């Protein structure tokens, strides 16, 4: 009997342990600041990583107090009421907080809101007297070490300007820096920049002498109570000065500071999460000592190079970001595989090039022989000059092709050697090296294809595959390609615009789709290569019996002499100057051969320094389906919306007048707003508005922000954006802002009628 009772007791104990282990722990995370602030986001990330290091089941609740943007006394009472209502029926096992505002808030309200719940804090840089059941991570900023570092790296500095605002956090930083660490001017020459507006601060730093150094701590609110994020303050400082900037937190790193002894929000949050796990697993919080966060020396290689700071002067334990990679890891089999591919590609290219040059040489010898038999001495001299010019061009072209071959081969062989020789490389870097090798292989294959196509054109053996296809599909695909290429080349200042006529948006033609795409691809690639700012426009128009395609750029343009040779084989604009832009010089010659094989014609309109417009025409046949559709649309003119009111939000009076002209016969009433803020107010007070035509580029408040605010008040009010930006990423931004539809400028009125009719019919 005793044994039976003993077994029953053991089973009960085990069941109790399992039930206890399965019970979820409730965790509340309180953040002093708002979501999206990099410091807060890094702490949040660290806390959750630390919590996830334990297998305990947890239910996590997160609140953001947003105290940098809302900070008056009444707001704190709002927070108390909000938390009381939200969590009155929920008991927490632990509270984790970040930064001083949340800490003082709990000092005043924890017991009344949550009871005697254990508290783990992080990001605290203000000394407090901590009650029982509080522990966590204190932040220790090494101002003296930062100043000593600046003095070492900039021995000729004139003054250190210590930038800190007058918020609660800023006052803590100022008190600790000035009263505890920097009581005298003797060792360091410094000045605090505090009581400024943002504009005054930027004006101040822009006027400092060349030997000054900036020390940025926290400046998120100016004396006018205007708010600025950490990202924006460092970016604006960098815009207004080229002076070296040092910091105390790692969220500035990579955005414009040289570096310094930096504190990490992620590391503090990670440790706070780990301490919370100890408490949740049963350890008494009063037995856990308060810890001091560890800061490390971090530097940005780009800024070091910009300010000519030698790495040997940095502390030995320094961590440098953005440093050029010098090695990667890969296994032997993959290295051998890519090496074999590279060698085979090189052999193929050289064989093709050899046969091409033999053919050229044979043709030139035949021409020279006929000339010697048929023409006079004067013509023989002219022929000799042409042959010498041809040889010069061939020599230049061979040198160019050698460069074009060797550049990707250098990437393939060089990175393959790195992959083979180094066995201590992480997988992410290894993946990047493979991508470089693959891209170099694709470049070599494209060169082979160009040489083969040129040979086929010269031998009249170019094959064409005629079929019906939709022009819009080809142009949209090319738009995505050229935007991607622009982003890869970091030419974000160039606008890419596809111009399509509304009446021909469904046009179907009978031609070789792939060859047509190849020509447009070459022209767009050239336009992007030779354009450094401005725009690239492309599209088509009908000029019966042909369809004409065009690519217009704001690049370097062409002189009269260059226009005469631009489509010749082995000729490039850069023959006349330095080879700044690269390329094989085959693209335009191939394009000319393809267009002529399609029974078309290619030409260029250009002036030096004014950009270029490349055009080509090919025959087309309009499909019967398109003809019927175009005919039907031309008679759709009965668009009327009596008793409806449209709000036109447009700051340009000409554009407003044009829209009213378009809609004057539609029996619709108009209201006009000249900026986004006025539009929001009108929609708020006027319930008779049935539709909004919203311009995107507006003063005071832009159209996208106005749309967001209107949709919060009236989610069912249709909004059609009108914009001159027709790129893919612009369209996505318009829809994401809440617009129901959009129409690109210049506006086609029939397209406008159709879009309005979708919402007002």
């Amino acid at each position: 009997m005793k044994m039976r009772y003993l077994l029953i007791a053991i089973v009960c104990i085990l069941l109790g342990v399992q039930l206890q282990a399965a019970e979820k722990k409730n965790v509340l995370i309180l953040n002093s600041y708002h979501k999206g602030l990099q410091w807060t986001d890094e702490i949040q990330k660290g806390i959750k990583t630390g919590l996830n290091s334990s297998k305990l089941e947890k239910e996590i609740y997160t609140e953001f107090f947003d105290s940098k943007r809302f900070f008056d006394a009444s707001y704190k009472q709002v927070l108390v009421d909000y938390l009381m209502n939200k969590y009155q029926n929920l008991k927490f096992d632990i509270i984790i907080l970040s930064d001083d505002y949340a800490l003082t808030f709990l000092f005043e309200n924890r017991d009344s809101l949550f009871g005697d719940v254990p508290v783990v804090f992080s990001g605290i840089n203000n000394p407090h007297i901590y009650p029982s059941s509080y522990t966590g991570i204190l932040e220790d900023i090494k101002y003296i070490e930062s100043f000593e570092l600046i003095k070492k790296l900039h021995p000729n500095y004139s003054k250190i300007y210590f930038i800190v605002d007058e918020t609660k956090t800023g006052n803590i930083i100022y008190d600790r820096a000035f009263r505890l660490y920097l009581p005298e001017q003797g060792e360091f020459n410094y000045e605090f920049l505090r009581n400024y507006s943002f504009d005054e601060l930027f004006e101040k730093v822009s006027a400092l002498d060349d030997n000054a150094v900036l020390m940025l701590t926290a400046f998120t609110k100016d004396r006018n109570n205007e708010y600025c994020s950490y990202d924006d303050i460092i970016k604006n400082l960098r815009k207004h000065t080229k002076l070296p900037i040092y910091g105390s937190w790692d969220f500035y790193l990579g955005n414009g500071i040289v570096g310094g002894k930096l504190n990490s929000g992620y590391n503090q949050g990670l440790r706070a999460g780990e301490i919370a796990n100890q408490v949740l697993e049963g350890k008494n919080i009063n037995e856990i000592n308060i810890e001091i966060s560890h800061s490390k020396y971090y530097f940005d290689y780009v800024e070091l190079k910009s300010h000519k700071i030698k790495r040997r002067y940095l502390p030995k334990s320094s961590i440098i970001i953005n440093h050029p990679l010098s090695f990667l890891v890969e296994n032997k089999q993959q290295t051998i595989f890519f090496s074999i591919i590279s060698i085979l590609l090189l052999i193929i290219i050289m064989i093709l090039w050899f046969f091409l040059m033999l053919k050229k040489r044979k043709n030139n010898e035949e021409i020279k022989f006929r000339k010697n038999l048929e023409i006079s001495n004067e013509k023989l001299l002219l022929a000799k000059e042409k042959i010498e010019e041809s040889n010069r061009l061939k020599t230049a072209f061979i040198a160019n092709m050698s460069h074009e071959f060797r550049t990707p081969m250098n990437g393939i062989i060089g990175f393959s050697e790195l992959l083979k020789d180094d066995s201590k490389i992480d997988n992410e870097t290894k993946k990047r090296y493979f991508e470089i090798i693959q891209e170099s292989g694709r470049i070599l294959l494209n060169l082979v294809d160009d040489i083969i196509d040129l040979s086929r054109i010269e031998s009249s053996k170019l094959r064409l595959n005629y079929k019906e296809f939709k022009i819009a599909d080809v142009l949209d695909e090319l738009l995505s390609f050229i935007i991607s290429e622009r982003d890869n080349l970091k030419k974000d200042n160039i606008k890419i615009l596809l111009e399509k006529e509304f009446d021909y948006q469904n046009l179907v033609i009978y031609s070789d789709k792939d060859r047509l795409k190849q020509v447009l691809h070459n022209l767009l690639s050239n336009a992007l290569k030779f354009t450094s700012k401005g725009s690239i426009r492309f599209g088509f128009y009908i000029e019966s019996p042909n369809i004409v395609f065009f690519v217009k750029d704001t690049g370097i343009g062409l002189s009269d002499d260059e226009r005469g040779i631009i489509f010749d084989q082995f000729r490039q604009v850069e023959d006349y100057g330095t080879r700044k832009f690269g390329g094989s010089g085959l693209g335009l010659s191939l394009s000319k051969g393809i267009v002529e094989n399609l029974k078309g014609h290619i030409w260029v309109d250009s002036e030096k320094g004014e950009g270029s417009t490349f055009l080509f025409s090919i025959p087309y046949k309009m499909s019967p389906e398109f003809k019927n559709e175009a005919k039907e649309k031309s008679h759709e003119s009965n668009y009327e919306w009596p008793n409806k009111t449209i709000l036109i939000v447009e700051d340009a009076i000409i554009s407003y007048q044009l829209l009213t002209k378009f809609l004057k016969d539609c029996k619709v009433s108009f209201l006009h707003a000249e900026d986004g803020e006025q539009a929001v107010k009108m929609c708020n007070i006027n319930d008779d508005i049935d539709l909004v035509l919203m311009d995107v580029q507006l003063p005071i408040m832009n159209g996208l922000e106005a749309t967001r605010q209107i949709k919060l008040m009236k989610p069912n009010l249709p909004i059609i954006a009108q914009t001159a930006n027709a790129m893919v990423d612009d369209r996505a931004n318009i829809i994401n802002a809440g617009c129901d539809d959009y129409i690109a400028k210049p506006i086609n009125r029939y397209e406008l009628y159709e879009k309005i009719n979708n919402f007002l019919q």
Side-chain angles (χ1 to χ4, degrees), residues 636-646 648 659-670 688 690-691 693 720 748-761:
E636 290 179 354
S637 57
N638 297 322
Y639 292 99
E640 296 179 352
W641 307 288
N643 303 320
K644 299 292 184 181
T645 300
I646 296 178
I648 301 176
L659 288 171
T660 57
K661 294 292 184 182
F662 282 171
L663 299 171
K664 67 177 182 177
D665 297 325
C666 297
K667 299 182 180 180
V668 65
S669 300
F670 303 116
D688 294 329
D690 299 291
L691 183 139
L693 287 177
I720 300 175
N748 182 290
R749 61 174 175 172
Y750 297 107
E751 184 181 6
L752 177 64
Y753 294 157
E754 191 67 26
K755 289 182 179 292
I756 294 176
N757 199 54
N758 290 335
F759 299 101
L760 296 186
Q761 62 181 354

Side-chain angles (χ1 to χ4, degrees), residues 521-685:
H521 178 281
N522 285 340
L523 297 181
L524 287 168
S525 296
N526 274 353
L528 187 59
K529 185 197 313 183
F530 293 100
T531 302
S532 58
K533 62 180 179 178
S535 64
I536 297 173
R537 301 172 180 267
F538 69 104
F540 71 95
Y541 56 89
I542 304 299
E543 193 172 87
S544 186
N546 296 320
I547 179 170
V548 181
F549 296 87
F550 65 90
V551 175
K552 183 176 183 179
D553 64 63
T554 57
I556 61 175
L558 300 168
S559 66
D560 291 340
D561 292 337
E562 290 166 347
R563 288 198 303 272
I565 60 118
I566 195 67
F567 293 104
D568 293 346
Q569 294 178 9
F570 313 118
R571 303 295 285 257
Q572 287 182 288
V573 170
E574 291 179 272
D575 289 341
Y576 283 76
T578 61
R579 286 192 46 78
K580 176 182 178 182
F581 298 97
S584 65
L586 297 177
L588 289 176
S589 178
L590 282 172
S591 298
K592 179 175 182 289
I594 292 171
V595 170
E596 290 176 351
N597 273 267
L598 291 172
K599 311 301 181 186
H601 174 60
I602 188 169
W603 69 98
V604 60
D605 294 328
S606 180
E607 290 185 14
K608 195 68 174 178
E610 299 295 330
S612 304
T613 302
F614 284 84
L615 307 98
F616 67 93
S617 63
I618 60 173
Y620 86 100
K621 294 181 180 180
M622 187 184 296
S623 70
E625 291 80 6
F626 175 78
K627 290 181 179 179
N628 293 336
E629 181 181 343
K631 183 177 180 180
E632 290 173 4
K633 287 193 174 183
S634 65
H635 290 87
E636 290 179 354
S637 57
N638 297 322
Y639 292 99
E640 296 179 352
W641 307 288
N643 303 320
K644 299 292 184 181
T645 300
I646 296 178
L647 171 62
I648 301 176
V649 188
E650 179 61 74
D651 61 320
I653 189 64
I654 294 176
S655 297
Y656 170 74
Q657 291 173 348
L658 178 63
L659 288 171
T660 57
K661 294 292 184 182
F662 282 171
L663 299 171
K664 67 177 182 177
D665 297 325
C666 297
K667 299 182 180 180
V668 65
S669 300
F670 303 116
L671 294 175
H672 182 208
E674 296 182 349
D675 59 67
E677 188 177 89
Q678 185 180 1
V680 173
K681 292 179 180 179
M682 293 177 70
C683 289
N684 186 29
I685 64 176

Side-chain angles (χ1 to χ4, degrees), residues 287-302:
E287 298 176 1
I288 303 175
N289 294 328
I290 294 174
E291 300 178 8
I292 304 297
S293 66
H294 298 288
S295 54
K296 296 181 180 180
Y297 284 107
Y298 291 89
F299 298 91
D300 187 339
Y301 177 83
V302 175

